[in-house]
Amino acid sequence: MSRVHAIDAQLTHVWMVRTFLKHADESEDDEDLRQIVRDLYDVLLAFGPIEEVRAERDYLKVAKKKLSKLRKATEFYVAIQPEVSGHTNFAMAARSLRTAVDRIIAILNE
C-alpha cells in the first residue's frame, strides 16, 4: 500500500490548490477557473478517504482512470494562470499542482 499512501500524500497538495482556487475572488468571474475547481474536486472525490482503501489494485485503477482528467485540469490551469492572475499565490499554485501531478504520474509508472 506504499503507492496508495504516496499518491494520497500528493492529493493533499491537489486539495490545497483546489481550495485556494475555489475561494479566490478571481473564481467568482472566471468560468474556466470554476471548471478547473470542479474537475479537481471530481478527481479527489473519486479517490475517497484513504482510510476506506481496502485494495491497492482498486485504488490504482481509480488513479489511472482519473489521471487524464487530472492532467487536463492541471495543464489548463498552468496555461491560463498568467491571465487569471500574475500574483505569486496563483503562480505557486500552478507549480504546486504541476509538481503533485508529475509525482502521481511517476508513482503510477513505478
Side-chain angles (χ1 to χ4, degrees):
M1 296 269 275
S2 64
R3 292 198 306 167
V4 169
H5 290 283
I7 290 171
D8 185 67
Q10 296 309 309
L11 291 175
T12 62
H13 298 285
V14 175
W15 181 269
M16 293 308 296
V17 169
R18 177 209 162 261
T19 301
F20 166 70
L21 295 176
K22 179 182 177 189
H23 295 289
D25 291 340
E26 288 78 356
S27 291
E28 291 178 23
D29 301 322
D30 193 320
E31 179 57 33
D32 288 337
L33 206 51
R34 287 194 308 271
Q35 185 59 50
I36 291 166
V37 169
R38 286 190 294 271
D39 288 348
L40 294 177
Y41 185 73
D42 177 68
V43 169
L44 292 159
L45 192 62
F47 284 95
I50 194 165
E51 297 81 21
E52 295 177 11
V53 174
R54 299 293 174 240
E56 180 177 29
R57 182 178 55 110
D58 295 340
Y59 185 92
L60 296 177
K61 184 177 178 182
V62 169
K64 289 176 183 174
K65 181 179 176 185
K66 289 296 183 177
L67 182 59
S68 176
K69 189 172 203 171
L70 181 58
R71 273 180 142 158
K72 286 178 185 175
T74 300
E75 290 167 7
F76 188 45
Y77 177 62
V78 168
I80 69 168
Q81 176 269 309
E83 298 168 25
V84 171
S85 176
H87 192 281
T88 303
N89 290 344
F90 286 88
M92 294 303 276
R95 288 179 58 194
S96 181
L97 188 57
R98 165 59 60 209
T99 301
V101 172
D102 287 348
R103 183 67 189 121
I104 291 169
I105 292 167
I107 294 164
L108 288 172
N109 288 328
E110 288 177 357

